[in-house]
Amino acid sequence: MRKESEGAGHSRLRGLSGIVLAVACAAMPAAWAQGASCEKPVYLTFDTGHMGVAPLVADVLKRQNVRVTFFAAAERTQTDGDSLDSQWAPWWKARAAEGNEFASHTYDHAYWRGDLKGVEPSFRIKPSAGALAGREFTWSAAEYCANIAKSSERLALITGKKPLPLYRAPGGKTSPRLLAAAKACGFEHVGWSPAGFLGDELPSDKFSNEKLLAQALETIRPGDILLAHLGIWSRKDPWAPANLEPLIVGLKAKGFCFETLRQHPQYRAWIASHP
């Protein structure tokens, strides 16, 4: 299995990273450094992927003392398994010990393709992971909910921590009927902010890491939910090695702080009501 190159963007932006790190150290407010309340929060989230950058992501988050929310599906990995298999279980358990949060991304990375007519809700669904990948099916609301719950249950098993009662639909593709069905079985949907789309899915020949980093640092605002992935197969110049730490450090230098979705005002009450 071919692995994507992860060093090209990193080496090119090493200088920028060093500059941003130095600026952050000089500009970091003393109150933030001492653990004061978060007045300009952003919510960094990661969806699963090929997991090739997962160790690097973990190192950066630990070094920067940042906690995030992971949305997990059992996606194909560079290690010839899936992102929720026994090989990756220790990685997930370590992230739980560090205080990160977890939620479902549907177990089979199941894309909503459309609603079907009828009194009972049913949907056209196309998984992109697992044994059924690439085929389209008709799922009832109960079948869709079961796929959301399967990921949540697997996360609970391998992390020892109860996931949040949240989920993210692959691609963010939903309908009002789909969202109502998921909410009825205990899962609130989480998308992302327009400025929080960090662009790691985009083609690198058109959207360079430098461009994506500059855009994010310019446009992200307090309260934004940010989206990245634990590895994207299609991007030739991977995003995370080049951009993740400069992004975190750059946002800190602007007075931002990082919280998990457990603290998000839109989801706090829902989470508290589904212990």
Side-chain angles (χ1 to χ4, degrees), residues 9-214:
H10 184 56
S11 60
R12 189 168 59 249
L13 286 188
R14 188 176 293 125
L16 173 59
S17 177
I19 292 170
V20 176
L21 283 165
V23 171
C25 291
M28 186 185 299
W32 183 91
Q34 296 169 5
S37 61
C38 192
E39 296 182 358
K40 292 175 62 177
V42 289
Y43 304 86
L44 180 56
T45 69
F46 284 89
D47 294 353
T48 41
H50 61 53
M51 301 297 284
V53 297
L56 178 143
V57 168
D59 288 345
V60 170
L61 297 180
K62 189 173 182 179
R63 182 162 55 248
Q64 291 296 327
N65 194 27
V66 164
R67 286 152 189 83
V68 304
T69 305
F70 293 99
F71 289 89
E75 298 189 65
R76 179 171 65 97
T77 66
Q78 292 180 339
T79 49
D80 295 323
D82 70 66
S83 49
L84 292 176
D85 64 18
S86 58
Q87 180 173 348
W88 284 101
W91 188 90
W92 291 108
K93 190 173 183 65
R95 305 293 76 74
E98 293 161 1
N100 297 289
E101 299 286 353
F102 310 94
S104 177
H105 195 33
T106 73
Y107 191 81
D108 293 311
H109 205 251
Y111 281 90
W112 171 85
R113 299 294 295 256
D115 294 347
L116 297 176
K117 294 181 179 180
V119 176
E120 295 296 324
S122 59
F123 314 100
R124 289 189 293 111
I125 301 291
K126 188 175 183 179
S128 66
L132 306 179
R135 299 164 58 190
E136 191 168 292
F137 301 88
T138 296
W139 283 5
S140 66
E143 288 172 313
Y144 186 71
C145 283
N147 206 258
I148 299 174
K150 186 176 180 180
S151 174
S152 187
E153 291 161 3
R154 176 62 179 164
L155 283 165
L157 178 66
I158 62 179
T159 66
K161 180 175 185 176
K162 181 182 173 68
L164 300 175
L166 307 173
Y167 93 106
R168 174 173 287 153
K173 298 181 183 300
T174 64
S175 70
R177 206 172 199 193
L178 186 83
L179 296 181
K183 194 166 186 175
C185 62
F187 294 95
E188 178 77 60
H189 185 260
V190 178
W192 54 87
S193 305
F197 179 70
L198 299 175
D200 63 350
E201 297 174 275
L202 299 174
S204 53
D205 59 336
K206 296 180 180 178
F207 300 90
S208 69
N209 285 322
E210 294 96 327
K211 179 179 179 180
L212 292 174
L213 177 60

Side-chain angles (χ1 to χ4, degrees), residues 16-29 32 40 42 44 60 64 66 213-221 226 239 242-258:
L16 173 59
S17 177
I19 292 170
V20 176
L21 283 165
V23 171
C25 291
M28 186 185 299
W32 183 91
K40 292 175 62 177
V42 289
L44 180 56
V60 170
Q64 291 296 327
V66 164
L213 177 60
Q215 176 178 288
L217 291 174
E218 174 66 26
T219 60
I220 288 171
R221 296 292 180 264
L226 317 183
W239 177 88
N243 279 17
L244 178 58
E245 194 152 26
L247 174 68
I248 291 173
V249 173
L251 289 174
K252 285 182 179 181
K254 298 179 73 170
F256 288 94
C257 40
F258 292 81

